[in-house]
């Protein structure tokens, strides 16, 4: 496999996990009537908003490692009229600022009258951020990226990574969720992973039929195909383990359930990173 | 706005790569940086006609650099506006603005912007803009011993040579509208062409 760009693999994955956490947090707050299922408030590390902000910060730091000349980074906002990268960076700034505002507005009590509005702004800017990321890769000269799969894989990754981070908070004891909420999240995660499995299979069939040119990667065999098969295996095993957790989620949880949960979460994280690595490795362009 | 363009005669090019070396020399390019590259294309094979075997083997060369497109996808998408277009159509790069994100190299279908790891920024053919401003030709044009390269206003080149064919391995010109006229080799349309010097042009 060529064109492995690990900094972009981690930048996109961490950003999408951060946005996914905020989307899941907002949806769960909305569904529970804002009763606050979490023990963490304000600037506590147990707060999902803090976790999302830390992930966004880590992603921003990693994005600098991708640049050849990080000292020129402020110039990246110069072309908001034409460049999706400029717009993505602006969206990342608005998203991060809205999370900081959520935390500052309720840092003593964990909530404020402006909190839901600021969280809504975080959700909206996060969704816009993921959309900008998708648009960056939808280029007419890059056939492997200029299709439905870029949109599908980025959207599903946002939700699967957000859900997995949310559930990790629960299984590590940092968050307090009732069994119904955990079951709902497990069902949602299983559905997202099934969509990822089917869409990845269809995409692989399409990639295999593409003419990658005289200097392009081999997409229907070799290392790329073997890594794809490993990803599929991880996805299927993760779905089976999550099914097991779904039928055994009632408290008190036994040690075996924790072990299964952490292994399933590891597999979900690993398959997302592998999927993103495959995405970048499928790069080839039209022409010379 | 005028539109300066290159002309390339694929039928005359011998593949000597003097243009490639003149470009490297003029721009003091490091190993791995090849702003003008010569692609060696070959194809064809043997087929049986009656009791005889006949071959339709062909080969031609394609000298390629930045085509200073009318609708440059690199300029459109550069987040820093380091890539910009002069009044005469030359696409230039301001390395003082470039962040080295390499996005222009991803999207350009002609492999024109190339990353310079020593400087951490992109570099590309600027049509020897300093030479042009001084009333001279680009170095590759003057270096070509076969006179297979020329440059000038796009419309004038079309009038002079009467062709804008885009041959393998070039992409559909409607994507970026390259400022490039090509006189195609007589066998450029033959089936199953492939680039045979991939090691030489790889990574560009």
């Amino acid at each position: 496999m060529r064109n492995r760009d690990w900094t972009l693999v981690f930048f996109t994955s961490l950003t999408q996990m951060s946005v996914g956490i905020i989307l899941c947090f907002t949806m769960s707050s909305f569904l529970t009537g804002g009763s606050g299922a979490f023990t963490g408030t304000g600037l506590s590390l147990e707060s999902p908003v803090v976790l999302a902000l830390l992930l966004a910060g880590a992603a921003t730091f990693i994005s600098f490692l991708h640049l050849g000349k990080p000292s020129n980074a402020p110039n990246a906002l110069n072309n908001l009229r034409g460049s999706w990268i400029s717009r993505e960076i602006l969206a990342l700034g608005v998203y991060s600022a809205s999370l900081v505002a959520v935390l500052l507005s309720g840092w003593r009590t964990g909530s404020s009258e402006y909190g839901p509005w600021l969280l809504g702004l975080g959700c909206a800017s996060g969704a816009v951020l993921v959309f900008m990321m998708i648009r960056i890769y939808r280029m007419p000269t890059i056939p492997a990226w200029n299709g439905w799969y870029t949109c599908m894989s980025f959207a599903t990754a946002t939700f699967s990574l957000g859900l997995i981070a949310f559930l990790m908070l629960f299984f590590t004891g940092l968050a307090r969720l009732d069994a119904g909420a955990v079951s709902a999240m497990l069902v949602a995660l299983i559905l997202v992973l099934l969509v990822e499995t089917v869409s990845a299979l269809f995409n692989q069939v399409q990639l295999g039929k593409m003419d990658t040119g005289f200097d392009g990667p081999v997409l229907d065999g070799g290392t790329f195909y073997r890594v794809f098969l490993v990803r599929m295996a991880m996805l299927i095993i993760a779905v089976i383990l999550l099914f097991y957790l779904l039928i055994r989620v009632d408290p008190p949880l036994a040690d075996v359930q924790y072990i299964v949960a952490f292994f399933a979460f590891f597999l979900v994280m690993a398959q997302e990173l592998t999927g993103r690595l495959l995405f970048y490795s499928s790069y080839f362009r039209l022409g010379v | 706005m005028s539109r300066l363009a290159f002309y390339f005669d694929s039928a005359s090019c011998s593949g000597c790569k003097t243009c490639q070396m003149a470009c490297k020399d003029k721009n003091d390019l490091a190993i791995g940086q090849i702003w003008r590259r010569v692609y060696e294309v070959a194809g064809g094979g043997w087929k049986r006609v009656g009791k005889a075997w006949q071959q339709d083997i062909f080969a031609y060369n394609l000298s390629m650099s930045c085509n200073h497109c009318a609708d440059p996808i690199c300029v459109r998408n550069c987040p820093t506006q380091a890539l910009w277009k002069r009044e005469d159509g030359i696409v230039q790069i301001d390395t003082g603005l470039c962040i080295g994100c390499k996005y222009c190299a991803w999207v350009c279908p002609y492999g024109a912007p190339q990353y310079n790891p020593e400087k951490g920024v992109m570099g590309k053919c600027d049509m020897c803009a300093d030479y042009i401003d001084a009333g001279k030709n680009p170095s590759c044009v003057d270096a070509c011993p076969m006179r297979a390269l020329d440059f000038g206003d796009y419309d004038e080149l079309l009038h002079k040579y009467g062709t804008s064919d885009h041959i393998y391995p070039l992409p559909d010109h409607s994507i970026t509208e390259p400022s490039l006229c090509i006189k195609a080799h007589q066998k450029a349309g033959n089936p199953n062409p492939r680039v045979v010097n991939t090691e030489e042009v790889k990574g560009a």
Side-chain angles (χ1 to χ4, degrees):
Chain A
M1 290 197 301
R2 296 186 302 168
N3 301 304
R4 297 181 299 262
D5 206 324
W6 285 103
T7 51
L8 290 179
V9 168
F10 282 104
F11 167 70
T12 53
S13 299
L14 291 177
T15 306
Q16 285 163 21
M17 179 183 259
S18 172
V19 173
I21 289 169
I22 293 301
L23 290 174
C24 293
F25 178 52
T26 308
M27 278 192 275
S28 68
S29 298
F30 180 74
L31 292 173
T32 58
S35 58
F38 283 84
T39 52
T41 57
L43 297 179
S44 161
L45 282 175
E46 298 160 13
S47 161
V49 179
V50 172
L51 180 61
L53 190 59
L54 287 174
L55 287 168
T60 306
F61 173 75
I62 289 170
S63 73
F64 280 90
L65 302 178
H66 170 68
L67 302 180
K69 203 159 189 177
S71 57
N72 281 350
N75 296 333
L77 286 166
N78 286 0
N79 193 11
L80 289 170
R81 288 183 64 187
S83 166
W84 289 104
I85 293 181
S86 291
R87 295 168 189 162
E88 176 203 43
I89 293 161
L90 179 65
L92 179 60
V94 173
Y95 170 72
S96 302
S98 66
L99 297 192
V100 170
V102 170
L103 292 172
L104 292 179
S105 71
W107 75 280
R108 282 183 189 279
T109 61
S111 63
S112 77
E113 59 177 310
Y114 304 112
W117 294 103
L118 292 169
L119 201 56
L121 176 64
C123 272
S125 57
V128 169
L129 173 58
V130 174
F131 173 73
M132 301 293 178
M133 284 181 159
I134 293 167
R135 289 298 290 123
I136 286 172
Y137 296 100
R138 294 287 305 273
M139 280 291 131
T141 52
I142 310 174
W145 296 351
N146 190 30
W148 59 274
Y149 185 69
T150 301
C151 180
M152 177 67 81
S153 68
F154 279 38
T156 51
T158 299
F159 282 106
S160 78
L161 289 170
L163 285 164
I164 210 72
F166 226 66
L167 287 165
M168 282 288 271
L169 286 174
F170 168 73
F171 277 96
T172 52
L174 291 173
R176 194 176 57 219
L177 290 168
D178 60 44
V182 174
S183 294
M185 287 186 187
L186 283 171
V187 169
L189 183 55
I190 289 167
L191 288 174
V192 170
L193 293 181
L194 288 174
V195 170
E196 281 196 353
T197 308
V198 174
S199 60
L201 280 168
F202 273 110
N203 182 58
Q204 180 57 35
V205 171
Q206 284 191 336
L207 288 178
K209 292 176 182 171
M210 284 184 179
D211 176 9
T212 59
F214 68 87
D215 195 24
V218 178
L219 299 177
D220 56 351
T223 307
F224 184 91
Y225 191 67
R226 285 194 289 275
V227 174
F228 166 75
L229 292 178
V230 169
R231 186 196 174 202
M232 286 295 101
M234 286 194 287
L235 263 168
I236 292 165
I237 295 168
V239 168
I240 292 168
L241 294 178
L242 290 169
F243 260 121
Y244 170 79
L245 283 177
L246 181 62
I247 56 177
R248 298 287 177 91
V249 76
D250 292 329
L253 297 175
D255 284 348
V256 66
Q257 284 160 299
Y258 282 107
I259 292 169
V260 168
F262 288 125
F263 187 52
F265 298 155
F266 167 77
L267 286 176
V268 172
M269 298 280 285
Q271 72 80 21
E272 286 297 351
L273 291 174
T274 310
R276 194 52 50 83
L277 178 65
L278 285 168
F279 175 81
Y280 284 109
S281 299
S282 69
Y283 167 83
F284 69 94
R285 64 170 182 251
L286 297 176
V288 295
Chain B
M1 180 187 276
S2 62
R3 183 180 172 188
L4 288 178
F6 279 118
Y7 164 77
F8 175 65
D9 182 350
S10 179
S12 298
C13 178
S14 65
C16 68
K17 302 182 180 71
T18 306
C19 54
Q20 189 173 304
M21 295 314 297
C23 176
K24 281 184 81 78
D25 186 38
K26 195 267 177 183
N27 294 293
D28 196 20
L29 300 180
I31 293 171
Q33 302 272 296
I34 33 178
W35 291 355
R36 178 169 281 283
R37 303 165 302 285
V38 177
Y39 294 87
E40 298 172 4
V41 181
W46 292 85
K47 59 182 177 185
R48 189 166 186 164
V49 180
K51 290 184 179 178
W53 285 90
Q54 291 183 346
Q55 57 88 9
D56 60 350
I57 294 167
F58 64 94
Y60 61 87
N61 302 295
L62 184 67
S63 176
M64 186 58 46
S65 68
C66 174
N67 291 312
H68 305 276
C69 305
D71 184 19
I73 196 167
C74 57
V75 173
R76 248 187 288 152
N77 289 287
C78 176
T80 64
Q81 293 187 322
L83 283 155
W84 59 287
K85 216 167 157 56
R86 291 195 346 173
E87 276 294 305
D88 54 10
I90 296 177
V91 175
Q92 287 202 308
I93 184 161
D94 182 347
T95 53
L97 288 175
C98 180
I99 56 175
C101 68
K102 310 172 198 84
Y103 192 63
C104 50
W106 276 1
V107 298
C108 173
Y110 301 99
Q114 293 174 17
Y115 182 64
N116 184 334
E118 285 178 15
K119 296 178 180 173
V121 295
M122 306 304 292
K124 65 177 284 300
C125 158
D126 65 352
M127 219 181 221
C128 295
D130 52 341
Y131 281 10
I132 290 174
D133 291 342
K136 296 193 285 186
N137 291 336
S139 62
C140 55
V141 171
D142 272 355
C144 179
M146 307 300 289
R147 292 292 173 256
L149 280 168
D150 196 358
F151 98 107
D153 183 75
Y154 181 70
D155 293 330
E156 287 176 15
L157 288 176
L158 275 183
H159 181 71
K160 187 174 173 183
Y161 298 108
T163 177
S164 65
D165 293 341
H166 284 172
I167 57 181
Y168 176 88
L170 299 183
D172 184 342
H173 66 275
S174 66
I175 300 173
T176 60
E177 298 177 49
S179 301
L180 175 69
C181 301
I182 290 181
K183 181 180 178 186
H185 187 276
Q186 58 182 348
K187 294 192 174 178
N190 280 21
N192 306 320
R194 62 190 178 88
V195 174
V196 293
N197 64 333
T198 50
E199 284 296 316
E200 201 176 331
V201 296
K202 189 165 63 178

